[in-house]
């Protein structure tokens, strides 16, 4: 598991690195040209938008979406949350049950800001109600949910953008374009450093706030006593509702790793994950510290780890690149400063993740992070969690999307869903 090569290479790389505070001039020029050629005509009428899940992220994406359409409905199973959103985004009706929102003919677009265990159920119901969707990441709670969702997006011909917004960040795209075009030689190792999850608890049962429908909030998840820690925002550190840090941040950085590899619609062939610390009994249930190693068919080693500076490091035979939300670093200046040749592979261009979604709603072109890409990126994270939970290395077939010769692992590609909230019920 431990790879001394990766550690020493990274140290050496950072000692000689060029830190780019701004994007190189040649790339800015390329972006300006791309912006011109992809600029969409403004829509004649503004679509009606409903936000389902009005927490922290929901409110942010609703604000972004309000530039492109009219928010007409807010929905949350906790009226304090929809009320808080209504204070910020004026003039729309509030709902508790998302199925009522989906009945509205004037709602064209669903923004899905629910916790992970609700993403797929809301998305499936929205697809079959004829809505286009901007759904938060991680797109799914399980691998089987993703397979099902992809199938139904195709069947219904709806547009679905996954909220992995790093795809629309020029720094990440440049790093991926350089890697794809061989600028660092043969890719050897990619490290996605995603930081530690919190380790807290024990938590004890509390009274359910009167404004919250706790049973509805839990939906398909197993019934549990309410504690505030299980609910808003910190739900992501409980296995019942999410996959912890690995899905929370892995959905961003593993997505970038697969983009650079050209494996966005595929995946690794082996996975070996190790939880590095026991969690507190009756506390958060997803690992705070971990290390997961993935092998791809082209022999690339991808490591997703809670250690190190948050960002993605690409190590190749002829140089290295580190990219994060604030930095782009290369081991030799020319890696960044030399323009890519004419005819180089260019990746999908988007400088505004929400804008790209609305442009695609209009044009019916696939968005930059469509359902399959969102599902495959989430799958990388789920594979790591399954390996950690089973405590062994697993062999994955990315074509068939199943583990090879491991019925126990395959059984973990789905989870039991508490009635009446099973996926088949939603379609
Ligand atoms: N793209 C990003 O950078 C980014 C950042 C933060 C969060 N997220 C994602 O956004 C999602 C929400 O995260 P958050 O931090 O906003 O959580 P949150 O707990 O603050 O908000 C979730 C809201 O959904 C509501 N909800 C739960 N079940 C519902 C249902 N069936 N119908 C309607 N509302 C329901 C909850 O009551 C809550 O108000 C998560 O999947 C998270 O991973 C993405």
């Amino acid at each position: 598991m431990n790879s001394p090569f990766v550690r020493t290479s990274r140290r050496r790389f950072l000692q000689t690195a060029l830190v780019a505070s701004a994007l190189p001039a040649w790339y800015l020029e390329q972006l300006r040209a791309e912006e011109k050629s992809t600029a969409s005509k403004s829509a004649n009428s503004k679509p009606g938008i409903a936000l389902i899940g009005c927490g922290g992220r929901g409110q942010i994406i609703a604000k972004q979406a309000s530039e492109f359409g009219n928010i007409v409905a807010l929905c949350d199973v906790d009226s304090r949350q929809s009320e808080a959103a209504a204070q910020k985004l004026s003039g729309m009706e509030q709902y508790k049950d998302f199925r009522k929102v989906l009945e509205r003919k004037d709602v064209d677009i669903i923004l899905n800001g629910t916790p992970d265990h609700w993403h797929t159920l809301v998305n499936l119901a929205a697809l079959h109600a004829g809505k286009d969707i901007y759904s938060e990441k991680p797109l799914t709670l399980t691998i089987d949910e993703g397979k099902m969702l992809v199938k139904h997006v195709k069947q219904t011909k709806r547009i679905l953008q996954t909220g992995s917004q790093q795809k629309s960040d020029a720094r990440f795209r440049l790093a991926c374009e350089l890697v794809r075009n061989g600028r660092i030689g043969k890719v050897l190792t990619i490290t996605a450093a995603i930081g530690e999850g919190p380790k807290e608890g024990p938590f004890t049962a509390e009274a359910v706030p009167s404004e919250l429908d706790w049973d509805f909030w839990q939906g398909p998840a197993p019934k549990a006593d309410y504690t505030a820690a299980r609910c808003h925002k910190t739900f992501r550190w409980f296995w019942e509702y999410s996959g912890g840090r690995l899905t929370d941040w892995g959905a961003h950085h593993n997505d970038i790793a697969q983009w650079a590899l050209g494996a966005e619609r595929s995946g690794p062939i082996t996975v070996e994950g190790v939880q590095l610390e026991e969690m507190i009994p009756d506390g958060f249930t997803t690992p705070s510290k971990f290390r997961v190693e993935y092998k791809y068919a082209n022999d690339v080693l991808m490591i997703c780890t809670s250690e190190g500076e948050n960002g993605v490091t690409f190590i190749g035979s002829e140089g290295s690149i580190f990219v994060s939300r604030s930095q782009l670093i290369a081991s030799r200046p020319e890696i960044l400063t030399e323009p890519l040749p004419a005819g180089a592979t260019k990746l999908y261009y988007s400088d505004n993740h929400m804008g790209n979604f609305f442009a695609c709603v209009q044009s019916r072109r696939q968005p930059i992070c469509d359902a399959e890409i969102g599902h495959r990126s989430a799958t990388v994270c789920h594979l790591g969690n399954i390996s950690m939970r089973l405590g062994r290395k697993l062999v994955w077939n990315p074509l068939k999307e199943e583990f090879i010769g491991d019925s126990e692992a395959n059984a973990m590609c789905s989870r039991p869903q508490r009635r009446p909230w099973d996926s088949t019920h939603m379609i």
Side-chain angles (χ1 to χ4, degrees):
M1 275 297 284
N2 283 334
S3 167
F5 165 75
V6 176
R7 294 228 170 84
T8 47
S9 296
R10 183 170 158 73
R11 201 176 307 128
R12 213 182 315 130
F13 148 57
L14 288 174
Q15 277 162 4
T16 56
L18 170 82
V19 180
S21 51
L23 289 166
W26 69 269
Y27 196 64
L28 287 171
E29 214 168 284
Q30 177 183 316
L31 291 177
R32 272 193 291 272
E34 285 169 316
E35 189 185 356
K36 257 192 207 156
S37 71
T38 56
S40 65
K41 293 173 212 100
S42 58
N44 297 332
S45 60
K46 286 194 155 192
I49 303 169
L51 170 64
I52 301 177
C54 305
R57 188 63 189 169
Q59 292 184 30
I60 290 171
I61 56 176
K63 187 98 190 90
Q64 292 169 352
S66 64
E67 260 187 58
F68 305 96
N70 299 319
I71 311 272
V72 296
L74 295 170
C75 172
D76 204 292
V77 295
D78 184 338
S79 59
R80 293 170 302 179
Q81 301 281 90
S82 44
E83 193 47 51
Q87 300 290 324
K88 292 193 187 151
L89 311 149
S90 56
M92 66 295 293
E93 231 176 296
Q94 291 177 40
Y95 295 79
K96 180 167 102 175
D97 191 328
F98 65 93
R99 292 166 297 187
K100 293 274 170 244
V101 176
L102 298 179
E103 283 169 11
R104 275 181 67 161
K105 297 278 176 277
D106 61 340
V107 170
D108 308 292
I109 306 281
I110 295 298
L111 308 175
N112 187 348
T114 59
D116 309 2
H117 66 291
W118 266 110
H119 286 177
T120 301
L121 292 168
V122 170
N123 287 338
L124 286 173
L127 289 174
H128 286 277
K131 318 295 184 193
D132 295 319
I133 306 167
Y134 184 103
S135 175
E136 265 314 327
K137 50 50 62 180
L139 188 56
T140 60
L141 185 70
T142 69
I143 294 171
D144 282 359
E145 278 186 0
K147 286 157 84 170
M148 188 172 184
L149 183 71
V150 169
K151 196 171 106 194
H152 285 271
V153 169
K154 278 190 191 138
Q155 236 172 49
T156 55
K157 298 191 170 55
R158 304 320 304 173
I159 299 295
L160 187 150
Q161 172 85 299
T162 311
S164 295
Q165 72 276 12
Q166 288 183 173
K167 272 265 159 55
S168 299
D169 177 322
R171 251 190 225 101
F172 285 102
R173 178 179 180 243
L174 173 56
C176 292
E177 257 179 24
L178 291 170
V179 171
R180 278 258 196 126
N181 284 288
R183 185 53 67 83
I184 60 167
K186 179 179 167 17
V187 185
L188 303 171
T189 309
I190 303 178
T191 303
I194 61 173
E196 289 176 18
K199 184 178 171 182
E200 289 169 26
F203 304 111
T204 48
E206 295 168 60
V208 180
S210 57
E211 301 91 341
L212 167 70
D213 185 335
W214 176 233
D215 190 66
F216 203 163
W217 189 99
Q218 293 177 92
K223 232 175 163 47
D225 287 337
Y226 173 81
T227 76
R230 280 188 171 270
C231 195
H232 302 322
K233 202 168 172 67
T234 45
F235 67 84
R236 49 183 40 81
W237 316 126
F238 286 89
W239 176 250
E240 292 91 324
Y241 321 121
S242 179
R245 189 76 182 181
L246 192 53
T247 50
D248 192 42
W249 262 90
H252 288 301
H253 285 352
N254 293 340
D255 179 70
I256 294 301
Q258 293 228 121
W259 202 20
L261 282 179
E264 301 175 278
R265 296 175 196 278
S266 174
I269 54 169
T270 66
V271 54
E272 186 173 15
V274 179
Q275 177 168 344
L276 299 174
E277 199 173 37
E278 284 306 312
M279 297 303 279
I280 297 167
D282 296 320
F284 292 140
T285 54
T286 54
S288 70
K289 294 185 185 173
F290 50 85
R291 178 183 169 89
V292 187
E293 292 194 358
Y294 303 90
K295 266 274 167 173
Y296 284 77
N298 55 5
D299 228 27
V300 172
L301 170 68
M302 207 270 274
I303 302 163
C304 185
T305 171
S306 55
E307 286 179 355
E309 186 182 344
N310 187 301
V312 188
T313 306
F314 300 95
I315 296 178
S317 56
E318 291 163 36
S320 311
I321 295 172
F322 170 82
V323 63
S324 70
R325 289 187 183 180
S326 57
Q327 277 186 311
L328 182 59
I329 306 175
S331 55
R332 286 179 289 111
E334 315 80 73
I335 289 177
L336 298 181
T337 54
E338 258 181 37
L340 282 168
T345 300
K346 282 190 188 170
L347 300 178
Y348 192 124
Y349 168 78
S350 158
D351 66 348
N352 181 326
H353 209 58
M354 188 60 79
N356 170 254
F357 167 62
F358 277 92
C360 291
V361 164
Q362 211 188 327
S363 69
R364 309 316 286 176
R365 179 190 181 209
Q366 284 302 312
I368 190 165
C369 202
D370 66 31
E372 183 173 17
I373 298 172
H375 152 57
R376 293 293 192 148
S377 300
T379 292
V380 177
C381 312
H382 299 323
L383 291 175
N385 270 330
I386 294 171
S387 171
M388 268 196 274
R389 290 175 81 84
L390 288 175
R392 60 174 184 265
K393 185 172 179 173
L394 302 168
V395 184
W396 176 248
N397 180 336
L399 267 180
K400 290 190 173 166
E401 297 192 71
E402 60 187 35
F403 293 101
I404 299 176
D406 197 325
S407 53
E408 204 181 353
N410 278 323
M412 292 175 75
C413 291
S414 64
R415 302 190 192 190
Q417 292 177 306
R418 191 167 62 101
R419 283 176 178 276
W421 300 114
D422 58 274
S423 312
T424 47
H425 209 79
M426 298 275 101
I427 51 183

